[in-house]
Amino acid sequence: MVQAVMTIAAEQEMPRSKRRSSLIRSPQFSSLVILIVLLAVFAIADANFLSPLNISNMMAFLPELGIIALGMTLLLTAGEFDLSVGAVFGLAPVVVMLLVQNGGFDIGIALLAGLLLCIAIGAVNGLIVTKIGISSFLVTLSMLLVVRGAALYITQGFPLKSWDQPGFFVTLLAGSFNIGTFRFYTSLWWFIGLSLLAIYVLHYAKLGNWISAIGSNRNAAVARGVPADAVKIWLFILTSVLAGLAGMISAFRISAASPVAGTGYELEVIAMVVVGGTALTGGRGTILGTIVGALMLRSIRNGIVLIGVPGLAYNIFVGVIILAMLILHALLQKNAARS
């Protein structure tokens, strides 16, 4: 009897140990460890790093890039990526403000028109990639130039004053609230809600299985009845819409819509996603890892300035971190394959 109980306990313990070992070897766990180390280093180097004011400043901007990163995670998991998100981030609020200021449109209608424009941009990207068969790198790089050029042309290169009148949409997109001594914006709730939805889609819904299958082996997925082209098109649309939404949130928060807003965001967002553990080659994605990656890159940007490193050196730090994480993830994959 005792021996039987010990055998059952051992059988139950093995899956737990395997799960624990799998968690430790996962890319998102290694990213989390590095994030904790970075936070500790910056906190020791400068006591103001963990002050309520500094944390509030970091959390004001992080959700906007984080929202774009969620869409990019799903898209990368399917084996594609979008380089036009930074330009869409800048164009969407510019179009909204022009419609309000020059066209006399209601702010709600203008916001809807801005989102419809984002849908159109994403659909064009997706259709060209899937139906014509051109690489998403080339397609979205071209779209980046088109969208950024359009934003500069329609504004003549000058920023616009954004909508700053109190009302429902200002509260919805850029309202603020306090938790103790910390000040946060409603964009944080957007980020949390969209993150939970993305986790459900990628890890618990049939669509998530389709996305991973397409990224792993598109032909095999199609053979099993997965509508690969339709899924990719909708993912391009989703990524573009999230970029436009993030741009509108930013414009409302700072009361300005600039045609050059979002410059370089496409690479920073991809860095967040890759550092978090999502594979550039597709087939493996992690929303929790993306959240960790977003926190990591924003902490680096903020921390190096606080400790006296010139802000222009930020790209050096990000490049080193990305290379280190890619090497670490590759080693973890090799060890997992051997096991």
Side-chain angles (χ1 to χ4, degrees):
M1 180 70 177
V2 175
Q3 186 177 359
V5 171
M6 291 176 65
T7 303
I8 292 172
E11 289 176 351
Q12 290 176 342
E13 186 62 29
M14 283 178 62
R16 284 200 203 101
S17 63
K18 285 183 178 179
R19 284 198 296 270
R20 195 180 302 116
S21 176
S22 172
L23 175 63
I24 292 173
R25 290 198 303 264
S26 66
Q28 56 265 40
F29 181 81
S30 58
S31 301
L32 178 61
V33 170
I34 292 175
L35 172 63
I36 293 171
V37 171
L38 284 171
L39 292 176
V41 169
F42 287 135
I44 293 170
D46 192 309
N48 291 322
F49 181 74
L50 294 180
S51 68
L53 177 60
N54 191 55
I55 291 176
S56 298
N57 288 336
M58 280 197 295
M59 295 305 295
F61 186 67
L62 181 143
E64 295 160 11
L65 277 178
I67 287 170
I68 308 174
L70 296 176
M72 191 70 77
T73 301
L74 297 176
L75 192 58
L76 273 173
T77 305
E80 307 290 351
F81 56 90
D82 189 346
L83 294 177
S84 67
V85 290
V88 174
F89 180 97
L91 177 66
V94 160
V95 168
V96 170
M97 289 306 109
L98 283 176
L99 288 175
V100 171
Q101 296 171 11
N102 297 349
F105 284 81
D106 177 77
I107 183 63
I109 300 298
L111 286 169
L112 179 60
L115 291 176
L116 289 174
L117 176 62
C118 295
I119 291 173
I121 293 170
V124 170
N125 284 336
L127 287 169
I128 294 175
V129 170
T130 58
K131 302 305 180 184
I132 301 180
I134 303 176
S135 162
S136 58
F137 173 83
L138 297 174
V139 172
T140 58
L141 177 61
S142 302
M143 185 61 74
L144 181 157
L145 298 173
V146 171
V147 172
R148 183 69 71 193
L152 289 167
Y153 178 75
I154 62 178
T155 60
Q156 296 300 299
F158 293 101
L160 304 172
K161 189 174 185 301
S162 184
W163 186 268
D164 58 358
Q165 299 178 22
F168 172 75
F169 292 107
V170 171
T171 303
L172 181 66
L173 296 177
S176 62
F177 60 96
N178 294 323
I179 299 179
T181 55
F182 297 91
R183 185 189 186 194
F184 301 107
Y185 288 88
T186 51
S187 57
L188 181 61
W189 296 120
W190 281 96
F191 184 43
I192 292 172
L194 289 169
S195 295
L196 293 174
L197 180 60
I199 289 171
Y200 171 77
V201 168
L202 188 57
H203 299 292
Y204 300 101
K206 181 189 289 186
L207 177 58
N209 292 331
W210 286 358
I211 292 170
S212 297
I214 294 167
S216 297
N217 190 325
R218 183 186 180 281
N219 292 333
V222 171
R224 289 178 173 271
V226 175
D229 287 354
V231 170
K232 285 188 177 184
I233 290 169
W234 281 108
L235 288 177
F236 274 108
I237 291 173
L238 174 66
T239 305
S240 185
V241 168
L242 290 180
L245 173 64
M248 294 174 193
I249 289 173
S250 176
F252 274 60
R253 180 174 62 84
I254 65 176
S255 298
S258 171
V260 296
T263 300
Y265 282 8
E266 56 280 345
L267 298 181
E268 190 163 352
V269 165
I270 291 174
M272 290 176 176
V273 176
V274 173
V275 163
T278 296
L280 267 175
T281 52
R284 187 187 76 238
T286 163
I287 299 299
L288 291 176
T290 294
I291 296 171
V292 172
L295 286 167
M296 187 187 300
L297 265 67
R298 296 313 305 168
S299 299
I300 293 172
R301 182 183 284 276
N302 180 271
I304 63 173
V305 173
L306 279 181
I307 64 177
V309 178
L312 295 176
Y314 169 72
N315 288 337
I316 299 174
F317 280 79
V318 171
V320 171
I321 288 289
I322 292 172
L323 283 174
M325 293 304 299
L326 289 174
I327 293 169
L328 179 59
H329 294 166
L331 293 175
L332 288 171
Q333 278 188 289
K334 287 182 179 179
N335 289 335
R338 287 198 207 101
S339 301

